[in-house]
Every structure is written in C-alpha cells, then in structure tokens.
Amino acid sequence: PPVMATAAVCSASDPLYPRRWIAAPAVSNSGGAKLRVVQFNILADGLSARHPSNGGFTESPPESLAWDFRRDRLVAEVFRHFEEEAGPDVVAMQEVDHYDELAAEMRRRGYEGTWKAKPDSPCLRFNADLEDGCALFWRTDAVAVDELTTVNFKQLDSDGAPTGKASNQVAIVAQMRLLRGAAKGGAPFVVAVSHLMARKDATGERARAQQVAQLLEAAFAAAQRAGTAAVVAMLDMNAAPSRSASADYEPEALPAALDGGRVRSAYAAALGDEPSYTSWKRRGAKDAKYPIDYVLVSPAVAVRRVLAPPDEDELDAERLPGWRYPSDHVALQAELEI
C-alpha cells in the first residue's frame, strides 16, 4: 500500500485535498452543449457524528465529523473545482439527511432541488429527527426540469423473480433541458440519481445488479418520453468493478449496468479504467478502499474531462473522512457534452 502522509498534525483550518482535472483522450461527438455534473455521497450525519460509535470511523478526529463543520466543506467541494465557471449544472447526492439546510445553501447559489428519503433510513435507528435519502440539484439559469419521478426499487429473489416487496433503495429520475447550445428550447437529457444496497457480499451484489437494471430501465423510459438519447446516471453503486480484499466476491452490478452498451463509465472513458478508489475509509483494523461511485453515460453523451480523486500519497492516515475531506466518498465531477 502507498505510504500515508502522517508527519503533519492536521486541523480544521487545513485546506481540502488538491485534485486535478484529467481530459479524456478523445471526444467522439464533440460539438454538443457542455454539461457539468457532480456525484457525491456526502456521508449522513446520522451515520457519522450522530451515530453512537461515530459510524465506526475510529481514526477520524471526532470533531471533523461534526455536521456544522462538514456542511460548509461539502458545499465547498461541490463548487471549488469550477472556479472559472458559474458552477456545476447538476448535482447528485446520496446520504442526505439535512436536506433543508443543503437546499438553502444551494438556493443561495442559484439552485433548486428535490429529495427522496429511503423508506426505512438507518439514521432513524439512532436519531428520531434524521432520515437519509437521495437529492438532486440543478442550476436554474442553466437547466430546466420538465418531469421528476421517483423510484422505489422492487425487491427480487436470487433468480430475479418479484417478491411482492419493495427494497429500501430509491432513485430520482429527471427529464431536463440544458439551456445552452443550439437546440431550440434547450437540449433534452435525463439524469438519474440513486444509492444501491450497501451489503458487501455476494447476496448484496446480486441485489445491486437487479437494482441498477431497474434504475436504467426507469432512466431510459424517461429518455424515450423526452425524445432524447442522452442519459446520465450518477450513483453510489456500492459495487466495485473487480474482486478485491475490500469486495471479496465476483462483481455483478457494474457488469449488469454496462451490459449491452447502453451506458459506459465516464471515469473509465477518461482514465482508461476506474480510479483506484472513490471511497477509502478506516474502521478499526478494517481498511476499505474501492471505486464504488459512478457517473454512467449513454453513447449520446461525450466525456470531455473528469476530476481525479486526491492522489493516494496526499491522504492523511485516517483516510476519509477527516479534517481535509468531509465525506468517506470523494465527489466525482465530470464535464460532458450532449
């Protein structure tokens, strides 16, 4: 494993980790309208600072988990990489359990949003006033929303047959129009945001494969209604692309998503492969490192560049979260064309 930076003592005044944009090697259908997106599992307050054991983040300074501290840094991370722009056009988030506060912060910056709670948020087990879910925000001077729908995934058995029950995972699907470019009335596209089952074993992986299939079915159905081939799905899939010590089972979810070529990974398109991690956390002796967050795009969407995770040798010993990063997942950011 890489050597971690441990010599310096970090504090609340330290800057967020540096990151860099990486251009895609080729833009196959260049000439479309630019679309800037952010995908971010922000780490629920109810699963970190307000969890009885701080969410198990034993190495993270407890004060760095405080919501009031993290909220400002979460918002800063969404915007700081677009310094020469007005900001991202669309922001997808998971584990949002302070939606009203975030919505107020985003509204001050010109964004509107929507939120869908999980049917049975794990945050409620410890906090009667908190439940987490998925959120979607859009910059109102750049994006118009024509339709918003929510999905509660069906729970299927191991063979894919309906059980008649609903899962605890949800999604938001939005028909949108990008208010720039040559398309009269705005270039139409569809965005989907979700957070799939977290269980890290073969059973959980099978459920994730079923859920991502349902997500894409809903997204492409919305695209058909909107008369567009441009689809962007942003999610914490909780699914690694390959077997590893942190995900010791055969991958099914990402292959299910990529099967048939309906979507591809924006990061793999730019980097040649998925990044080495999008989540890296320490809970006691367990060090979990894997790429489990994705920006998936249909062939009608070109990838111009992506924001790489912080370099591994930049991370402090506690990994994520900590003073220098407000979540256990890094925010994925991509500049696309539709």
Side-chain angles (χ1 to χ4, degrees):
V3 176
M4 295 292 104
T6 58
V9 176
C10 295
S11 71
S13 62
D14 287 334
L16 292 165
Y17 291 122
R19 300 179 64 180
R20 67 186 189 279
W21 287 98
I22 297 180
V27 180
S28 59
N29 54 339
S30 181
K34 185 189 299 183
L35 174 66
R36 296 178 292 266
V37 301
V38 174
Q39 149 60 30
F40 201 4
N41 180 326
I42 66 170
L43 178 58
D45 187 23
L47 300 178
S48 52
R50 287 178 58 177
H51 186 280
S53 65
N54 283 346
F57 295 107
T58 55
E59 309 306 306
S60 301
E63 297 84 356
S64 73
L65 300 177
W67 171 248
D68 287 348
F69 172 74
R70 292 200 303 115
R71 178 193 56 224
D72 295 341
R73 291 204 155 196
L74 290 166
V75 174
E77 179 65 1
V78 167
F79 287 95
R80 70 186 176 112
H81 306 289
F82 297 97
E83 291 179 356
E84 298 179 359
E85 307 282 356
D89 301 304
V90 180
V91 179
M93 290 181 175
Q94 299 83 30
E95 291 198 23
V96 177
D97 59 358
H98 286 281
Y99 174 72
D100 289 344
E101 287 186 50
L102 279 175
E105 292 288 340
M106 296 296 284
R107 194 170 295 114
R108 280 193 282 272
R109 292 164 173 81
Y111 292 74
E112 290 296 330
T114 189
W115 177 74
K116 174 66 174 177
K118 294 177 180 176
D120 183 22
S121 168
C123 298
L124 290 171
R125 298 170 197 166
F126 315 106
N127 304 274
D129 60 334
L130 289 181
E131 57 182 338
D132 79 297
C134 295
L136 183 65
F137 297 98
W138 57 91
R139 208 174 91 222
T140 56
D141 67 349
V143 173
V145 177
D146 294 326
E147 178 186 279
L148 282 171
T149 59
T150 59
V151 180
N152 188 180
F153 299 128
K154 297 175 182 177
Q155 185 174 307
L156 310 178
D157 66 19
S158 59
D159 296 321
T163 65
K165 300 178 181 179
S167 75
N168 197 35
Q169 283 69 48
V170 298
I172 301 169
V173 179
Q175 291 179 14
M176 296 178 158
R177 284 177 290 117
L178 187 61
L179 304 178
R180 69 168 72 94
K184 185 177 180 180
F189 64 103
V190 165
V191 165
V193 52
S194 190
H195 186 187
L196 305 189
M197 179 181 282
R199 180 174 171 176
K200 299 297 193 297
D201 60 18
T203 299
E205 185 72 359
R206 175 61 54 86
R208 287 187 285 274
Q210 297 167 344
Q211 290 173 353
V212 77
Q214 294 178 59
L215 176 69
L216 294 178
E217 180 181 0
F220 279 93
Q224 186 175 27
R225 294 194 300 274
T228 182
V231 173
V232 181
M234 295 184 278
L235 66 162
D236 174 358
M237 197 184 296
N238 268 313
S242 59
R243 193 166 194 156
S244 69
S246 299
D248 193 14
Y249 41 84
E250 289 303 312
E252 294 187 47
L254 184 61
L258 303 181
D259 184 46
R262 287 197 297 172
V263 295
R264 70 193 190 284
S265 164
Y267 269 70
L271 304 179
D273 201 354
E274 300 301 337
S276 62
Y277 76 97
T278 64
S279 180
W280 194 354
K281 66 203 85 178
R282 292 184 64 185
R283 288 184 168 118
K286 184 177 180 181
D287 191 301
K289 172 192 176 189
Y290 31 36
I292 56 176
D293 305 87
Y294 299 91
V295 176
L296 304 177
V297 298
S298 65
V301 179
V303 180
R304 293 177 58 89
R305 61 177 186 163
V306 299
L307 188 69
D311 291 344
E312 293 188 12
D313 60 5
E314 286 278 348
L315 293 193
D316 298 319
E318 67 266 20
R319 279 59 160 185
L320 309 172
W323 290 124
R324 299 186 66 198
Y325 208 78
S327 177
D328 57 334
H329 294 247
V330 297
L332 304 187
Q333 305 195 13
E335 186 177 285
L336 311 171
E337 282 187 5
I338 61 172

